[in-house]
Amino acid sequence: MLKFLRRIAYLIAIVVAIAGLIVFAVVQPWVRPIASTPPAADPQRLRFDVKHLSVDLYPRSYDQTETLDQAARYIHEQLRLAGAQVSYQDVPVEGMVYRNVIGRFGPATGPLRVIGAHYDSFADVGVENDDPRGYSPKTHTPGADDNASGVAGLLELARMLGRSEQTRPIELVAYTLEEPPHFRSEHMGSAHHARSLRQAGREVEYMLSLEMIGRFSDRPGSQRYPVRGMHRLYSDRGDFAVLVGRMGDFGQTRALKATMAGATDLPVHSISAPPLLVQGVDFSDHLSYWAQGYPAWMVSDTAFLRSDTYHQASDTYDRLDYPRMAKVVQAVYAMSQRP
């Protein structure tokens, strides 16, 4: 009997050890922040850009090519004013030509750091709509958090990068066609960009996708998770930013997390998990770079796991938290400057 109990205890110890290793690999706990003092991002400028994209340039969906193109031109001009070398990248899809907007900083050669955000917004053209324009907030979301917030962050990051000489090559890319019907397909703007880098034989140090970075809440229960019990590993409050990576990039995830967490006082969590087990970890443009074998991460407010306005008419600019959004941008700037 004693021998049997010892075997049971041994098996339990093994199971606990394996569970602990899985949690360690997925959550990356006990990361020591690397303190830095990035320049301040401007919350008011972030608010202006989000409002302009989600109100003045509404709607930015794949079927509204005129305003989508106006958004591309606005992004191009803002990147130019920030000091970037700017170009368009054509994205031909089903007889139409859409455009990525690329802003380059630093030298032309060397391992590349890519930071991107999609500028298109969600539309459900299958919903009956009696608006004479052919669209309304019922069918075409304003897309403030998703993803004017990411684009505004990208533009503010460009302004911060442009204030000093960059010693490493950095590309800031505003992607078209992340949303349905091209979501997770070869037609995504990010898929075109990632393929072009692979075809050119370009080495990519990392890619960061800014996907919804404006919603925060200190209310208990404001943060949801796709797997039961995950709140015990993270938080039940939507008061943090998240860094999402692949299981195989564990070490670099820890390094990026340390840099991100040391840049501001905004809490930062990270996760590396298979998409089959945790829904949403591959729901953005970083997926396109994974498909090309490049290391890539998503920086997010956790999207539909926190926001009750996801793909809704209520995803408006006045519901975002711009001071905390500015801290996310400062953290991304710190990651762009890592040695």
Side-chain angles (χ1 to χ4, degrees):
M1 183 64 179
L2 182 59
K3 188 175 182 180
F4 173 76
L5 291 175
R6 285 176 177 171
R7 287 180 178 176
I8 293 297
Y10 180 69
L11 289 173
I12 291 174
I14 291 176
V15 170
V16 170
I18 292 174
L21 287 173
I22 291 173
V23 169
F24 187 80
V26 169
V27 180
Q28 295 89 39
W30 309 309
V31 170
R32 184 176 180 179
I34 299 175
S36 64
T37 53
D42 184 351
Q44 293 306 312
R45 183 69 218 200
L46 291 169
R47 180 185 176 92
F48 176 89
D49 284 335
V50 170
K51 182 179 180 181
H52 185 59
L53 288 163
S54 61
V55 176
D56 303 326
L57 299 178
Y58 167 82
R60 308 183 315 279
S61 53
Y62 78 99
D63 64 316
Q64 302 295 319
T65 54
E66 182 177 346
T67 45
L68 191 63
D69 195 56
Q70 288 175 9
R73 292 199 298 270
Y74 176 73
I75 294 165
H76 186 288
E77 178 64 5
Q78 293 305 307
L79 290 174
R80 185 191 69 80
L81 290 173
Q85 295 181 326
V86 195
S87 63
Y88 291 114
Q89 179 183 45
D90 286 349
V91 180
V93 176
E94 299 176 351
M96 298 290 296
V97 178
Y98 300 87
R99 298 190 292 183
N100 292 332
V101 189
I102 304 173
R104 298 178 177 89
F105 292 90
T109 60
L112 184 63
R113 299 177 175 188
V114 179
I115 305 172
H118 72 89
Y119 68 91
D120 62 319
S121 59
F122 175 76
D124 188 352
V125 298
V127 173
E128 185 176 349
N129 181 35
D130 57 5
D131 192 296
R133 300 174 300 175
Y135 60 83
S136 72
K138 183 172 69 173
T139 59
H140 293 64
T141 175
D145 195 28
D146 186 15
N147 188 37
S149 67
V151 177
L154 197 71
L155 296 180
E156 183 65 4
L157 177 63
R159 298 177 190 111
M160 296 161 74
L161 292 171
R163 294 175 193 145
S164 61
E165 183 179 358
Q166 298 302 312
T167 59
R168 295 175 178 80
I170 299 173
E171 281 194 4
L172 305 185
V173 190
Y175 306 112
T176 190
L177 301 187
E178 191 270 354
E179 296 286 2
H182 303 298
F183 180 58
R184 297 173 61 80
S185 79
E186 63 181 357
H187 299 312
M188 292 170 66
S190 56
H192 281 260
H193 185 256
R195 283 196 301 270
S196 71
L197 294 177
R198 178 55 70 194
Q199 290 164 3
R202 192 67 191 270
E203 181 182 355
V204 174
E205 184 178 349
Y206 62 75
M207 179 270 179
L208 300 176
S209 172
L210 308 186
E211 177 63 64
M212 302 179 65
I213 59 171
R215 289 298 296 270
F216 296 92
S217 175
D218 297 313
R219 178 177 56 82
S222 55
Q223 183 65 50
R224 301 182 296 276
Y225 294 94
V227 178
R228 186 175 181 179
M230 285 183 67
H231 68 281
R232 299 184 185 278
L233 301 176
Y234 295 99
S235 170
D236 72 338
R237 302 170 189 261
D239 60 355
F240 61 88
V242 67
L243 181 69
V244 181
R246 294 181 298 187
M247 293 292 290
D249 296 324
F250 173 80
Q252 199 169 357
T253 299
R254 289 182 65 87
L256 289 170
K257 180 180 181 179
T259 301
M260 191 174 178
T264 75
D265 60 358
L266 182 71
V268 175
H269 293 302
S270 60
I271 183 169
S272 299
L276 290 176
L277 296 181
V278 180
Q279 183 189 35
V281 296
D282 60 349
F283 280 14
S284 190
D285 293 296
H286 58 302
L287 173 65
S288 298
Y289 296 82
W290 287 353
Q292 297 300 323
Y294 289 129
W297 286 260
M298 175 172 63
V299 176
S300 179
D301 60 17
T302 76
F304 55 86
L305 295 173
R306 179 177 304 171
S307 174
D308 57 359
T309 66
Y310 179 74
H311 285 181
Q312 302 295 319
S314 51
D315 184 12
T316 53
Y317 77 93
D318 54 312
R319 304 187 69 164
L320 303 190
D321 185 325
Y322 294 99
R324 280 193 271 199
M325 182 175 161
K327 292 180 180 181
V328 175
V329 178
Q330 289 170 224
V332 173
Y333 177 89
M335 287 191 284
S336 77
Q337 303 300 299
R338 290 181 66 244

